[in-house]
Amino acid sequence: MTNETDKFVVDVVYALPTQQKVIPVHVTPGTSAIEVVRLSNIVSFFPEIDLDTVKLGVFSNVVKHDQVILPGQRVEIYRPLIADPKDVRRRRADKAKDEGRANKVTGGRA
């Protein structure tokens, strides 16, 4: 049986381009990442979050939903990417070639 002194605080973080929300949650040892998110009730602020498929992380490292959260950690909720970073980089390089800012053969600086 756990008592109140065993509990610790974990922050649940979700960010959009224009706003962010940090919710402190009191949890007991052995609580999983997805349980912490559920306890935060962050879905009431951001209903677009699908708790079944959402990607979670702890300090920028992706974790599984059943990962046990330790004192001092922060659970982050990740949004899906809007564009593939490799495609964005490729388009930017092609544009530089077309504008003459990059060598058309090697892709290096002109």
Side-chain angles (χ1 to χ4, degrees):
M1 185 167 115
T2 60
N3 58 29
E4 286 297 314
T5 60
D6 292 340
K7 288 190 171 191
F8 56 92
V9 177
V10 174
D11 287 335
V12 175
V13 180
Y14 185 68
L16 295 172
T18 58
Q19 73 181 96
Q20 71 175 6
K21 188 80 171 166
V22 179
I23 301 174
V25 180
H26 293 274
V27 298
T28 57
T31 305
S32 70
I34 195 67
E35 289 171 339
V36 172
V37 172
R38 283 192 175 101
L39 288 170
S40 73
N41 199 25
I42 198 157
V43 177
S44 66
F45 298 100
F46 303 101
E48 68 272 12
I49 298 173
D50 180 8
L51 294 180
D52 295 327
T53 60
V54 69
K55 290 191 186 269
L56 302 175
V58 173
F59 293 117
S60 301
N61 294 313
V62 176
V63 298
K64 294 182 179 180
H65 283 201
D66 60 355
Q67 169 83 31
V68 174
I69 300 302
L70 303 173
Q73 291 184 328
R74 175 185 72 204
V75 178
E76 301 159 344
I77 301 171
Y78 299 134
R79 295 179 288 125
L81 292 176
I82 295 171
D84 181 12
K86 289 182 183 179
D87 288 339
V88 173
R89 165 71 176 87
R90 192 174 298 115
R91 277 182 270 159
R92 192 170 47 234
D94 289 342
K95 182 179 176 186
K97 287 179 192 175
D98 293 343
E99 292 175 354
R101 294 183 288 121
N103 185 303
K104 293 188 187 291
V105 176
T106 64
R109 295 189 188 266

